[in-house]
Every structure is written in structure tokens, then in C-alpha cells.
Amino acid sequence: MGAYILRRLALVIPTLIGIMIINFTLVQFVPGGPIEQIIARMEGSGDVFQNISGGGAEVAPMSGGNERYLGSRGLPPEFIAELERQFGFDKPPLQRFLNMMWDYMRLDFGQSYFRSISVIDLVLEKMPVSISLGLWSTLIAYMISIPLGIRKAVRDGTRFDTWTSGAIIVGYAIPGFLFAILLLVLFAGGSYWRIFPLRGLTSENWHELTLVGKVLDYMWHMTLPVLASTISSFATLTLLTKNSFLDEIKKQYVITARAKGLAERRVLYGHVFRNAMLIVIAGFPAIFVSVFFGGSLIIETIFSLDGLGRLGFEAAVARDYPVIFGTLFVFGLIGLVVGILSDLMYVWIDPRIDFETRET
């Protein structure tokens, strides 16, 4: 197992570099960079995209044969050159990429272009919100999906299995953002009941509450966002559990255990459970990361939660390259490490699995 882990760890660096190369290259072709954003803000135009859509931005030749930035007419060339130097755009793209990767290898992710804070501090500031959302959504999905999936497998083909499958399919078909809006309309004072808060992770007087009051206030705010982010993973996990149990129940060792007169509950939870839960439990890290990184953007935006998903969206809109590439590097590294952890969980749950025998 040690050799397999070393091989996987050795692949992390080239894979991560490949991810960064692809994204860095794509960003070079996206219009409206940081300098154009600053110029648009100086002119009171909001951002560069309003200029582009409104036709107010023009491109004029610079001395030396280059082109000026959108909306930069009338600004001194010296000022534009100073902006380029401050942002590092006076260097060729290859040199900028190599400098960036060297800094990242030393865990120096730079500072945000438009906020007076380092990228690391910014990520650490927003991470608790996303971790809360991802962790609770994943735990609740497992707590509901595993018992429900087992019951559906035991009662396969019955009316209970049929109507629960219908409900699960409907829940899976509803987009997360649409379900989030529905929850707001129904339970956050949109048009019906004002039971839960409309936005935020805590109340304004949270620091004045007792410990029990803080916990209850936190749970009160997290209820709707967690429900909205759980809906899709809940459906997938339930059907995965059911199918996994059905496959195990049909195997010979289950038939033998029943023939020996063992109680059905002992057969189910003493023999079938461990084997059937292998793929479900071992996939916990990957499911958590998918909820943590994938579904947080829309949910955080709808419920006004200041987390990593919203941070990434705002950084992309503002072309805050240090935040974009810094978070991409960190998230890519976490995703690759989680893949290794998932394999280790397979071995921990079922020692019969041996990745050493796999060919590279």
C-alpha cells in the first residue's frame, strides 16, 4: 500500500500543474482584465462589462504598436504602464505563470487586487461558512439516505419502494437553486410564513446570546441552506445504497446464512451491511468535497452566505486573479488528496482490497 500511495502522491504535482496551465491559458483570452476593471471604476462606469455592452469602450493604438485597454482613452500612458507594473502584466505570460507557480510552491498566494488582505487570510475567513454548509449537508444526506436505501432494498418492488422512488426522482429533478428559492418563498417571509431568516449565518445579536442560544441561532440560520444543498445528493445516495444492498442480498453467502437459520436482521446488518456500505462510506470524502466546492456558489448567493463559493464568483467577476488562481490551486490540491483518502477508506473498510496489485 505504501508504494501505491507514493505513486499517487507523485502524480499530484504534475496533475496540479496541468490544471493551473489550462486555467491560466484560458484566462489570457478572457476580456476585461484587472486593469480594465480599474479604469472602468475610475470613470464611474461600474465595471468594464457595462462599457463593452454599452458600446462606450473604445480601442485605440498605443505608441509601440500595441492596443490601449478598453475605456483608457485620455489616460496618460505612464499611468497605464505603472498599473501594468503593479499587477505584473509588464512581463510575458510564461514568466508570470512560472513566477506564480514558484510562489505557490512556497505557499505564497499573494494579495487580492481589490481587497487589502492576503489570499490565504481571505480563504480562511470564508472557509467556515462553506465547511458548515458542506459538512452538515453531507452528514444529513447520509443519515437519511442509508436507512431509507436499506429499507427500499429490503422492500424492493413494494408500494413503499415505488412511491419513495417517485419522491426521490422528483427531488433529484428539481434544481438546487429552484428549491432554494421555493424554501425562501414558503418559509422565509417571501409570500407565506416567516419561520426562518432570509440571509446570513447568524443573527446580529449573536455575540450577546448564551452558548445554547448561539447554537440554536446557528441551526436556525443553517436549516434552509442545508436543505437546499442536500436535495440532489440525498437522491443519488439513497439509490446508490439501495442498489448496493440489492447486489449483496442476491449473493451466495447471504443465501447460505439464511439457510443456517440466522435471523433476517442479523443477516442484513451482520453480513450484508459491511459489504454493501463499502462504496457508500468510502465515497464520503468525495461527496463532501463535491458539496463543499460544487453546490456552494448558488446556495451561498441565494441565502447571502459569505463563503468560498460566493468569494470565487465575485473574484471571477472582478478579475481578481490572485484570488482566482490561489483558490483554484488550493481546491485542486484538496481534490487530489481527497481522491487518495477515498482509496485509503476502501482499504480501511475492506482489507481484502489491495491497490498494490493494480498496474500503473
Side-chain angles (χ1 to χ4, degrees):
M1 189 64 184
Y4 171 75
I5 295 176
L6 290 177
R7 289 198 302 269
R8 290 291 302 272
L9 290 175
L11 290 173
V12 167
I13 295 179
T15 303
L16 193 57
I17 292 176
I19 293 173
M20 297 302 296
I21 289 176
I22 293 174
N23 286 274
F24 185 87
T25 303
L26 291 175
V27 164
Q28 307 309 308
F29 298 98
V30 177
I35 295 180
E36 291 168 305
Q37 293 283 344
I38 291 179
I39 293 172
R41 294 181 183 183
M42 289 177 59
E43 296 180 345
S45 303
D47 60 53
V48 68
F49 305 105
Q50 295 179 11
N51 285 344
I52 294 175
S53 61
E58 300 181 10
V59 178
M62 284 184 66
S63 57
N66 296 323
E67 291 184 339
R68 305 191 79 135
Y69 293 98
L70 292 173
S72 64
R73 174 169 292 183
L75 294 177
E78 296 80 8
F79 175 75
I80 301 297
E82 178 63 20
L83 283 179
E84 289 182 334
R85 187 192 64 78
Q86 290 181 4
F87 287 108
F89 294 130
D90 56 333
K91 302 179 179 65
L94 178 59
Q95 184 178 350
R96 286 192 281 118
F97 176 78
L98 294 177
N99 291 341
M100 181 184 70
M101 293 304 299
W102 172 246
D103 290 337
Y104 287 179
M105 293 301 177
R106 295 181 290 124
L107 300 181
D108 179 10
F109 297 96
Q111 191 170 18
S112 169
Y113 283 161
F114 305 106
R115 311 186 192 196
S116 299
I117 185 174
S118 67
V119 174
I120 286 293
D121 291 338
L122 195 58
V123 170
L124 293 178
E125 177 185 327
K126 312 296 184 184
M127 187 171 288
V129 175
S130 296
I131 289 181
S132 296
L133 186 60
L135 184 61
W136 285 116
S137 299
T138 306
L139 289 177
I140 291 176
Y142 269 82
M143 290 171 62
I144 297 176
S145 298
I146 291 178
L148 180 59
I150 294 174
R151 187 169 179 81
K152 285 175 61 62
V154 173
R155 304 183 62 178
D156 182 44
T158 63
R159 293 181 61 183
F160 172 82
D161 180 45
T162 302
W163 73 259
T164 52
S165 295
I168 289 172
I169 293 174
V170 170
Y172 182 76
I174 299 176
F177 75 92
L178 186 59
F179 188 62
I181 295 174
L182 178 63
L183 291 176
L184 286 178
V185 172
L186 291 178
F187 303 110
S191 300
Y192 295 91
W193 304 282
R194 189 176 181 82
I195 302 175
F196 296 98
L198 185 61
R199 61 173 60 87
L201 191 60
T202 57
S203 300
E204 295 181 358
N205 63 335
W206 188 80
H207 295 287
E208 303 173 2
L209 301 176
T210 62
L211 179 60
V212 176
K214 290 181 178 179
V215 173
L216 294 177
D217 183 74
Y218 167 78
M219 295 174 63
W220 184 49
H221 282 77
M222 287 298 297
T223 299
L224 296 186
V226 168
L227 286 177
S229 60
T230 303
I231 186 73
S232 60
S233 58
F234 157 75
T236 303
L237 195 56
T238 300
L239 295 179
L240 178 63
T241 303
K242 175 192 173 182
N243 293 333
S244 180
F245 262 79
L246 284 178
D247 290 341
E248 291 296 324
I249 289 174
K250 297 175 183 178
K251 291 184 178 179
Q252 184 63 43
Y253 75 91
V254 177
I255 299 176
T256 303
R258 286 172 173 169
K260 290 181 178 180
L262 294 179
E264 185 66 20
R265 186 176 183 84
R266 185 175 179 184
V267 172
L268 190 62
Y269 292 99
H271 294 75
V272 177
F273 185 83
R274 181 173 181 176
N275 294 328
M277 285 294 97
L278 173 62
I279 188 173
V280 178
I281 298 177
F284 179 87
I287 293 177
F288 170 69
V289 169
S290 65
V291 175
F292 182 64
F293 296 139
S296 60
L297 168 59
I298 297 177
I299 302 301
E300 288 176 9
T301 302
I302 292 176
F303 290 97
S304 299
L305 300 176
D306 199 10
L308 291 176
R310 190 174 177 185
L311 171 66
F313 172 74
E314 292 175 352
V317 171
R319 300 298 189 266
D320 197 343
Y321 291 162
V323 177
I324 294 175
F325 291 124
T327 53
L328 178 66
F329 182 88
V330 174
F331 295 165
L333 181 61
I334 292 175
L336 294 171
V337 172
V338 164
I340 301 176
L341 292 178
S342 296
D343 290 345
L344 294 178
M345 288 196 69
Y346 275 108
V347 177
W348 177 65
I349 295 172
D350 189 351
R352 296 172 299 175
I353 297 178
D354 184 12
F355 287 103
E356 293 286 354
T357 59
R358 295 175 56 180
E359 297 182 1
T360 58

PDB file of all heavy atoms in Angstrom, residues 207-238:
ATOM      1  N   HIS A 207     -23.464  37.598  19.337  1.00  0.00           N
ATOM      2  CA  HIS A 207     -22.436  37.673  20.383  1.00  0.00           C
ATOM      3  C   HIS A 207     -23.046  37.925  21.760  1.00  0.00           C
ATOM      4  O   HIS A 207     -22.378  37.694  22.779  1.00  0.00           O
ATOM      5  CB  HIS A 207     -21.437  38.769  20.050  1.00  0.00           C
ATOM      6  CG  HIS A 207     -20.642  38.494  18.805  1.00  0.00           C
ATOM      7  ND1 HIS A 207     -19.643  37.550  18.755  1.00  0.00           N
ATOM      8  CD2 HIS A 207     -20.717  39.027  17.556  1.00  0.00           C
ATOM      9  CE1 HIS A 207     -19.115  37.519  17.540  1.00  0.00           C
ATOM     10  NE2 HIS A 207     -19.759  38.406  16.792  1.00  0.00           N
ATOM     11  N   GLU A 208     -24.264  38.381  21.830  1.00  0.00           N
ATOM     12  CA  GLU A 208     -24.902  38.640  23.109  1.00  0.00           C
ATOM     13  C   GLU A 208     -25.658  37.428  23.643  1.00  0.00           C
ATOM     14  O   GLU A 208     -26.124  37.447  24.790  1.00  0.00           O
ATOM     15  CB  GLU A 208     -25.879  39.816  22.968  1.00  0.00           C
ATOM     16  CG  GLU A 208     -25.222  41.104  22.462  1.00  0.00           C
ATOM     17  CD  GLU A 208     -26.242  42.188  22.183  1.00  0.00           C
ATOM     18  OE1 GLU A 208     -27.454  41.935  22.435  1.00  0.00           O
ATOM     19  OE2 GLU A 208     -25.845  43.279  21.727  1.00  0.00           O
ATOM     20  N   LEU A 209     -25.783  36.367  22.823  1.00  0.00           N
ATOM     21  CA  LEU A 209     -26.554  35.196  23.217  1.00  0.00           C
ATOM     22  C   LEU A 209     -25.732  34.266  24.099  1.00  0.00           C
ATOM     23  O   LEU A 209     -24.496  34.313  24.111  1.00  0.00           O
ATOM     24  CB  LEU A 209     -27.018  34.439  21.967  1.00  0.00           C
ATOM     25  CG  LEU A 209     -27.900  35.211  20.976  1.00  0.00           C
ATOM     26  CD1 LEU A 209     -28.182  34.353  19.749  1.00  0.00           C
ATOM     27  CD2 LEU A 209     -29.209  35.644  21.633  1.00  0.00           C
ATOM     28  N   THR A 210     -26.425  33.412  24.839  1.00  0.00           N
ATOM     29  CA  THR A 210     -25.759  32.373  25.613  1.00  0.00           C
ATOM     30  C   THR A 210     -25.253  31.282  24.675  1.00  0.00           C
ATOM     31  O   THR A 210     -25.545  31.294  23.475  1.00  0.00           O
ATOM     32  CB  THR A 210     -26.735  31.764  26.627  1.00  0.00           C
ATOM     33  OG1 THR A 210     -27.829  31.147  25.911  1.00  0.00           O
ATOM     34  CG2 THR A 210     -27.278  32.845  27.558  1.00  0.00           C
ATOM     35  N   LEU A 211     -24.509  30.318  25.218  1.00  0.00           N
ATOM     36  CA  LEU A 211     -23.965  29.242  24.389  1.00  0.00           C
ATOM     37  C   LEU A 211     -25.078  28.454  23.716  1.00  0.00           C
ATOM     38  O   LEU A 211     -25.020  28.166  22.510  1.00  0.00           O
ATOM     39  CB  LEU A 211     -23.097  28.320  25.247  1.00  0.00           C
ATOM     40  CG  LEU A 211     -22.481  27.121  24.515  1.00  0.00           C
ATOM     41  CD1 LEU A 211     -21.593  27.595  23.372  1.00  0.00           C
ATOM     42  CD2 LEU A 211     -21.708  26.236  25.488  1.00  0.00           C
ATOM     43  N   VAL A 212     -26.103  28.118  24.488  1.00  0.00           N
ATOM     44  CA  VAL A 212     -27.243  27.390  23.910  1.00  0.00           C
ATOM     45  C   VAL A 212     -27.961  28.255  22.875  1.00  0.00           C
ATOM     46  O   VAL A 212     -28.355  27.777  21.805  1.00  0.00           O
ATOM     47  CB  VAL A 212     -28.223  26.961  25.020  1.00  0.00           C
ATOM     48  CG1 VAL A 212     -29.463  26.295  24.414  1.00  0.00           C
ATOM     49  CG2 VAL A 212     -27.539  26.013  25.991  1.00  0.00           C
ATOM     50  N   GLY A 213     -28.083  29.539  23.171  1.00  0.00           N
ATOM     51  CA  GLY A 213     -28.728  30.448  22.230  1.00  0.00           C
ATOM     52  C   GLY A 213     -27.947  30.576  20.932  1.00  0.00           C
ATOM     53  O   GLY A 213     -28.539  30.653  19.844  1.00  0.00           O
ATOM     54  N   LYS A 214     -26.618  30.582  21.020  1.00  0.00           N
ATOM     55  CA  LYS A 214     -25.792  30.663  19.818  1.00  0.00           C
ATOM     56  C   LYS A 214     -25.962  29.418  18.947  1.00  0.00           C
ATOM     57  O   LYS A 214     -26.054  29.505  17.716  1.00  0.00           O
ATOM     58  CB  LYS A 214     -24.325  30.846  20.203  1.00  0.00           C
ATOM     59  CG  LYS A 214     -23.991  32.207  20.788  1.00  0.00           C
ATOM     60  CD  LYS A 214     -22.513  32.304  21.128  1.00  0.00           C
ATOM     61  CE  LYS A 214     -22.189  33.699  21.680  1.00  0.00           C
ATOM     62  NZ  LYS A 214     -20.752  33.833  22.037  1.00  0.00           N
ATOM     63  N   VAL A 215     -25.993  28.254  19.608  1.00  0.00           N
ATOM     64  CA  VAL A 215     -26.165  27.004  18.856  1.00  0.00           C
ATOM     65  C   VAL A 215     -27.522  26.984  18.157  1.00  0.00           C
ATOM     66  O   VAL A 215     -27.622  26.639  16.970  1.00  0.00           O
ATOM     67  CB  VAL A 215     -26.018  25.793  19.798  1.00  0.00           C
ATOM     68  CG1 VAL A 215     -26.373  24.499  19.055  1.00  0.00           C
ATOM     69  CG2 VAL A 215     -24.596  25.710  20.336  1.00  0.00           C
ATOM     70  N   LEU A 216     -28.562  27.346  18.879  1.00  0.00           N
ATOM     71  CA  LEU A 216     -29.900  27.353  18.287  1.00  0.00           C
ATOM     72  C   LEU A 216     -30.015  28.391  17.174  1.00  0.00           C
ATOM     73  O   LEU A 216     -30.650  28.135  16.137  1.00  0.00           O
ATOM     74  CB  LEU A 216     -30.942  27.636  19.372  1.00  0.00           C
ATOM     75  CG  LEU A 216     -31.107  26.560  20.446  1.00  0.00           C
ATOM     76  CD1 LEU A 216     -32.114  27.003  21.501  1.00  0.00           C
ATOM     77  CD2 LEU A 216     -31.530  25.237  19.814  1.00  0.00           C
ATOM     78  N   ASP A 217     -29.389  29.547  17.357  1.00  0.00           N
ATOM     79  CA  ASP A 217     -29.422  30.583  16.328  1.00  0.00           C
ATOM     80  C   ASP A 217     -28.691  30.126  15.076  1.00  0.00           C
ATOM     81  O   ASP A 217     -29.158  30.345  13.947  1.00  0.00           O
ATOM     82  CB  ASP A 217     -28.784  31.865  16.869  1.00  0.00           C
ATOM     83  CG  ASP A 217     -28.848  33.002  15.875  1.00  0.00           C
ATOM     84  OD1 ASP A 217     -29.935  33.568  15.670  1.00  0.00           O
ATOM     85  OD2 ASP A 217     -27.792  33.315  15.266  1.00  0.00           O
ATOM     86  N   TYR A 218     -27.554  29.456  15.265  1.00  0.00           N
ATOM     87  CA  TYR A 218     -26.782  28.921  14.134  1.00  0.00           C
ATOM     88  C   TYR A 218     -27.607  27.878  13.372  1.00  0.00           C
ATOM     89  O   TYR A 218     -27.671  27.890  12.135  1.00  0.00           O
ATOM     90  CB  TYR A 218     -25.485  28.328  14.653  1.00  0.00           C
ATOM     91  CG  TYR A 218     -24.725  27.485  13.668  1.00  0.00           C
ATOM     92  CD1 TYR A 218     -23.955  28.063  12.670  1.00  0.00           C
ATOM     93  CD2 TYR A 218     -24.776  26.090  13.736  1.00  0.00           C
ATOM     94  CE1 TYR A 218     -23.251  27.288  11.760  1.00  0.00           C
ATOM     95  CE2 TYR A 218     -24.079  25.316  12.835  1.00  0.00           C
ATOM     96  CZ  TYR A 218     -23.327  25.911  11.852  1.00  0.00           C
ATOM     97  OH  TYR A 218     -22.638  25.137  10.959  1.00  0.00           O
ATOM     98  N   MET A 219     -28.240  26.957  14.105  1.00  0.00           N
ATOM     99  CA  MET A 219     -29.057  25.924  13.458  1.00  0.00           C
ATOM    100  C   MET A 219     -30.261  26.541  12.753  1.00  0.00           C
ATOM    101  O   MET A 219     -30.682  26.063  11.685  1.00  0.00           O
ATOM    102  CB  MET A 219     -29.515  24.906  14.503  1.00  0.00           C
ATOM    103  CG  MET A 219     -28.382  24.111  15.124  1.00  0.00           C
ATOM    104  SD  MET A 219     -28.941  23.042  16.474  1.00  0.00           S
ATOM    105  CE  MET A 219     -30.042  21.948  15.588  1.00  0.00           C
ATOM    106  N   TRP A 220     -30.824  27.584  13.337  1.00  0.00           N
ATOM    107  CA  TRP A 220     -31.966  28.289  12.740  1.00  0.00           C
ATOM    108  C   TRP A 220     -31.597  28.881  11.387  1.00  0.00           C
ATOM    109  O   TRP A 220     -32.364  28.798  10.420  1.00  0.00           O
ATOM    110  CB  TRP A 220     -32.419  29.368  13.722  1.00  0.00           C
ATOM    111  CG  TRP A 220     -33.633  30.134  13.310  1.00  0.00           C
ATOM    112  CD1 TRP A 220     -34.812  29.631  12.861  1.00  0.00           C
ATOM    113  CD2 TRP A 220     -33.791  31.562  13.347  1.00  0.00           C
ATOM    114  NE1 TRP A 220     -35.707  30.647  12.600  1.00  0.00           N
ATOM    115  CE2 TRP A 220     -35.108  31.853  12.903  1.00  0.00           C
ATOM    116  CE3 TRP A 220     -32.961  32.611  13.728  1.00  0.00           C
ATOM    117  CZ2 TRP A 220     -35.589  33.142  12.807  1.00  0.00           C
ATOM    118  CZ3 TRP A 220     -33.452  33.899  13.653  1.00  0.00           C
ATOM    119  CH2 TRP A 220     -34.742  34.164  13.195  1.00  0.00           C
ATOM    120  N   HIS A 221     -30.406  29.463  11.292  1.00  0.00           N
ATOM    121  CA  HIS A 221     -29.958  30.065  10.036  1.00  0.00           C
ATOM    122  C   HIS A 221     -29.523  29.018   9.001  1.00  0.00           C
ATOM    123  O   HIS A 221     -29.632  29.259   7.799  1.00  0.00           O
ATOM    124  CB  HIS A 221     -28.783  31.027  10.295  1.00  0.00           C
ATOM    125  CG  HIS A 221     -29.195  32.357  10.840  1.00  0.00           C
ATOM    126  ND1 HIS A 221     -29.552  32.555  12.154  1.00  0.00           N
ATOM    127  CD2 HIS A 221     -29.318  33.574  10.232  1.00  0.00           C
ATOM    128  CE1 HIS A 221     -29.865  33.830  12.352  1.00  0.00           C
ATOM    129  NE2 HIS A 221     -29.741  34.463  11.211  1.00  0.00           N
ATOM    130  N   MET A 222     -29.019  27.876   9.466  1.00  0.00           N
ATOM    131  CA  MET A 222     -28.480  26.883   8.540  1.00  0.00           C
ATOM    132  C   MET A 222     -29.542  25.945   7.973  1.00  0.00           C
ATOM    133  O   MET A 222     -29.269  25.227   7.012  1.00  0.00           O
ATOM    134  CB  MET A 222     -27.409  26.032   9.254  1.00  0.00           C
ATOM    135  CG  MET A 222     -26.099  26.754   9.506  1.00  0.00           C
ATOM    136  SD  MET A 222     -25.279  27.255   7.968  1.00  0.00           S
ATOM    137  CE  MET A 222     -24.953  25.664   7.225  1.00  0.00           C
ATOM    138  N   THR A 223     -30.735  25.948   8.521  1.00  0.00           N
ATOM    139  CA  THR A 223     -31.753  24.964   8.126  1.00  0.00           C
ATOM    140  C   THR A 223     -32.065  25.019   6.631  1.00  0.00           C
ATOM    141  O   THR A 223     -31.971  24.011   5.918  1.00  0.00           O
ATOM    142  CB  THR A 223     -33.038  25.172   8.937  1.00  0.00           C
ATOM    143  OG1 THR A 223     -32.758  25.005  10.324  1.00  0.00           O
ATOM    144  CG2 THR A 223     -34.113  24.181   8.517  1.00  0.00           C
ATOM    145  N   LEU A 224     -32.457  26.175   6.136  1.00  0.00           N
ATOM    146  CA  LEU A 224     -32.851  26.280   4.730  1.00  0.00           C
ATOM    147  C   LEU A 224     -31.683  26.059   3.770  1.00  0.00           C
ATOM    148  O   LEU A 224     -31.830  25.320   2.784  1.00  0.00           O
ATOM    149  CB  LEU A 224     -33.517  27.630   4.467  1.00  0.00           C
ATOM    150  CG  LEU A 224     -34.842  27.892   5.193  1.00  0.00           C
ATOM    151  CD1 LEU A 224     -35.467  29.201   4.719  1.00  0.00           C
ATOM    152  CD2 LEU A 224     -35.804  26.743   4.987  1.00  0.00           C
ATOM    153  N   PRO A 225     -30.492  26.674   3.984  1.00  0.00           N
ATOM    154  CA  PRO A 225     -29.373  26.401   3.074  1.00  0.00           C
ATOM    155  C   PRO A 225     -28.982  24.926   3.037  1.00  0.00           C
ATOM    156  O   PRO A 225     -28.680  24.385   1.964  1.00  0.00           O
ATOM    157  CB  PRO A 225     -28.235  27.261   3.639  1.00  0.00           C
ATOM    158  CG  PRO A 225     -28.915  28.350   4.387  1.00  0.00           C
ATOM    159  CD  PRO A 225     -30.163  27.746   4.948  1.00  0.00           C
ATOM    160  N   VAL A 226     -28.997  24.255   4.192  1.00  0.00           N
ATOM    161  CA  VAL A 226     -28.628  22.837   4.223  1.00  0.00           C
ATOM    162  C   VAL A 226     -29.664  21.998   3.480  1.00  0.00           C
ATOM    163  O   VAL A 226     -29.309  21.088   2.721  1.00  0.00           O
ATOM    164  CB  VAL A 226     -28.469  22.360   5.681  1.00  0.00           C
ATOM    165  CG1 VAL A 226     -28.379  20.840   5.743  1.00  0.00           C
ATOM    166  CG2 VAL A 226     -27.224  22.979   6.303  1.00  0.00           C
ATOM    167  N   LEU A 227     -30.941  22.296   3.678  1.00  0.00           N
ATOM    168  CA  LEU A 227     -31.980  21.561   2.946  1.00  0.00           C
ATOM    169  C   LEU A 227     -31.823  21.736   1.438  1.00  0.00           C
ATOM    170  O   LEU A 227     -31.964  20.779   0.673  1.00  0.00           O
ATOM    171  CB  LEU A 227     -33.360  22.044   3.391  1.00  0.00           C
ATOM    172  CG  LEU A 227     -33.853  21.589   4.766  1.00  0.00           C
ATOM    173  CD1 LEU A 227     -35.206  22.219   5.074  1.00  0.00           C
ATOM    174  CD2 LEU A 227     -33.946  20.072   4.825  1.00  0.00           C
ATOM    175  N   ALA A 228     -31.538  22.951   1.006  1.00  0.00           N
ATOM    176  CA  ALA A 228     -31.407  23.218  -0.424  1.00  0.00           C
ATOM    177  C   ALA A 228     -30.208  22.511  -1.028  1.00  0.00           C
ATOM    178  O   ALA A 228     -30.265  22.036  -2.166  1.00  0.00           O
ATOM    179  CB  ALA A 228     -31.303  24.726  -0.654  1.00  0.00           C
ATOM    180  N   SER A 229     -29.110  22.425  -0.289  1.00  0.00           N
ATOM    181  CA  SER A 229     -27.906  21.794  -0.826  1.00  0.00           C
ATOM    182  C   SER A 229     -27.922  20.277  -0.679  1.00  0.00           C
ATOM    183  O   SER A 229     -27.118  19.587  -1.303  1.00  0.00           O
ATOM    184  CB  SER A 229     -26.660  22.360  -0.125  1.00  0.00           C
ATOM    185  OG  SER A 229     -26.714  22.103   1.262  1.00  0.00           O
ATOM    186  N   THR A 230     -28.844  19.743   0.134  1.00  0.00           N
ATOM    187  CA  THR A 230     -28.898  18.300   0.379  1.00  0.00           C
ATOM    188  C   THR A 230     -29.747  17.572  -0.643  1.00  0.00           C
ATOM    189  O   THR A 230     -29.551  16.378  -0.874  1.00  0.00           O
ATOM    190  CB  THR A 230     -29.452  18.022   1.793  1.00  0.00           C
ATOM    191  OG1 THR A 230     -28.645  18.700   2.753  1.00  0.00           O
ATOM    192  CG2 THR A 230     -29.435  16.537   2.118  1.00  0.00           C
ATOM    193  N   ILE A 231     -30.646  18.258  -1.293  1.00  0.00           N
ATOM    194  CA  ILE A 231     -31.683  17.608  -2.083  1.00  0.00           C
ATOM    195  C   ILE A 231     -31.127  16.686  -3.174  1.00  0.00           C
ATOM    196  O   ILE A 231     -31.574  15.556  -3.338  1.00  0.00           O
ATOM    197  CB  ILE A 231     -32.642  18.665  -2.698  1.00  0.00           C
ATOM    198  CG1 ILE A 231     -33.808  18.002  -3.412  1.00  0.00           C
ATOM    199  CG2 ILE A 231     -31.898  19.623  -3.608  1.00  0.00           C
ATOM    200  CD1 ILE A 231     -34.801  17.394  -2.467  1.00  0.00           C
ATOM    201  N   SER A 232     -30.109  17.136  -3.914  1.00  0.00           N
ATOM    202  CA  SER A 232     -29.604  16.320  -5.021  1.00  0.00           C
ATOM    203  C   SER A 232     -28.748  15.155  -4.531  1.00  0.00           C
ATOM    204  O   SER A 232     -28.880  14.024  -5.024  1.00  0.00           O
ATOM    205  CB  SER A 232     -28.801  17.195  -5.990  1.00  0.00           C
ATOM    206  OG  SER A 232     -27.702  17.794  -5.330  1.00  0.00           O
ATOM    207  N   SER A 233     -27.851  15.404  -3.567  1.00  0.00           N
ATOM    208  CA  SER A 233     -27.003  14.332  -3.053  1.00  0.00           C
ATOM    209  C   SER A 233     -27.827  13.298  -2.296  1.00  0.00           C
ATOM    210  O   SER A 233     -27.489  12.107  -2.294  1.00  0.00           O
ATOM    211  CB  SER A 233     -25.932  14.913  -2.129  1.00  0.00           C
ATOM    212  OG  SER A 233     -26.511  15.626  -1.056  1.00  0.00           O
ATOM    213  N   PHE A 234     -28.915  13.723  -1.667  1.00  0.00           N
ATOM    214  CA  PHE A 234     -29.800  12.801  -0.959  1.00  0.00           C
ATOM    215  C   PHE A 234     -30.386  11.770  -1.923  1.00  0.00           C
ATOM    216  O   PHE A 234     -30.412  10.573  -1.631  1.00  0.00           O
ATOM    217  CB  PHE A 234     -30.903  13.605  -0.274  1.00  0.00           C
ATOM    218  CG  PHE A 234     -32.152  12.840   0.023  1.00  0.00           C
ATOM    219  CD1 PHE A 234     -32.190  11.939   1.065  1.00  0.00           C
ATOM    220  CD2 PHE A 234     -33.283  13.018  -0.744  1.00  0.00           C
ATOM    221  CE1 PHE A 234     -33.352  11.222   1.349  1.00  0.00           C
ATOM    222  CE2 PHE A 234     -34.450  12.319  -0.470  1.00  0.00           C
ATOM    223  CZ  PHE A 234     -34.477  11.415   0.580  1.00  0.00           C
ATOM    224  N   ALA A 235     -30.842  12.201  -3.072  1.00  0.00           N
ATOM    225  CA  ALA A 235     -31.450  11.285  -4.031  1.00  0.00           C
ATOM    226  C   ALA A 235     -30.434  10.291  -4.574  1.00  0.00           C
ATOM    227  O   ALA A 235     -30.690   9.074  -4.630  1.00  0.00           O
ATOM    228  CB  ALA A 235     -32.066  12.092  -5.181  1.00  0.00           C
ATOM    229  N   THR A 236     -29.279  10.775  -4.968  1.00  0.00           N
ATOM    230  CA  THR A 236     -28.248   9.899  -5.532  1.00  0.00           C
ATOM    231  C   THR A 236     -27.779   8.871  -4.518  1.00  0.00           C
ATOM    232  O   THR A 236     -27.634   7.678  -4.835  1.00  0.00           O
ATOM    233  CB  THR A 236     -27.056  10.744  -6.010  1.00  0.00           C
ATOM    234  OG1 THR A 236     -27.515  11.715  -6.949  1.00  0.00           O
ATOM    235  CG2 THR A 236     -26.001   9.871  -6.652  1.00  0.00           C
ATOM    236  N   LEU A 237     -27.557   9.304  -3.291  1.00  0.00           N
ATOM    237  CA  LEU A 237     -27.038   8.419  -2.257  1.00  0.00           C
ATOM    238  C   LEU A 237     -28.048   7.348  -1.858  1.00  0.00           C
ATOM    239  O   LEU A 237     -27.682   6.199  -1.571  1.00  0.00           O
ATOM    240  CB  LEU A 237     -26.638   9.244  -1.028  1.00  0.00           C
ATOM    241  CG  LEU A 237     -25.760   8.575   0.024  1.00  0.00           C
ATOM    242  CD1 LEU A 237     -24.481   8.048  -0.600  1.00  0.00           C
ATOM    243  CD2 LEU A 237     -25.435   9.562   1.125  1.00  0.00           C
ATOM    244  N   THR A 238     -29.328   7.693  -1.845  1.00  0.00           N
ATOM    245  CA  THR A 238     -30.360   6.712  -1.498  1.00  0.00           C
ATOM    246  C   THR A 238     -30.414   5.583  -2.524  1.00  0.00           C
ATOM    247  O   THR A 238     -30.440   4.394  -2.168  1.00  0.00           O
ATOM    248  CB  THR A 238     -31.738   7.397  -1.409  1.00  0.00           C
ATOM    249  OG1 THR A 238     -31.698   8.412  -0.411  1.00  0.00           O
ATOM    250  CG2 THR A 238     -32.818   6.386  -1.053  1.00  0.00           C
TER     251      THR A 238
END
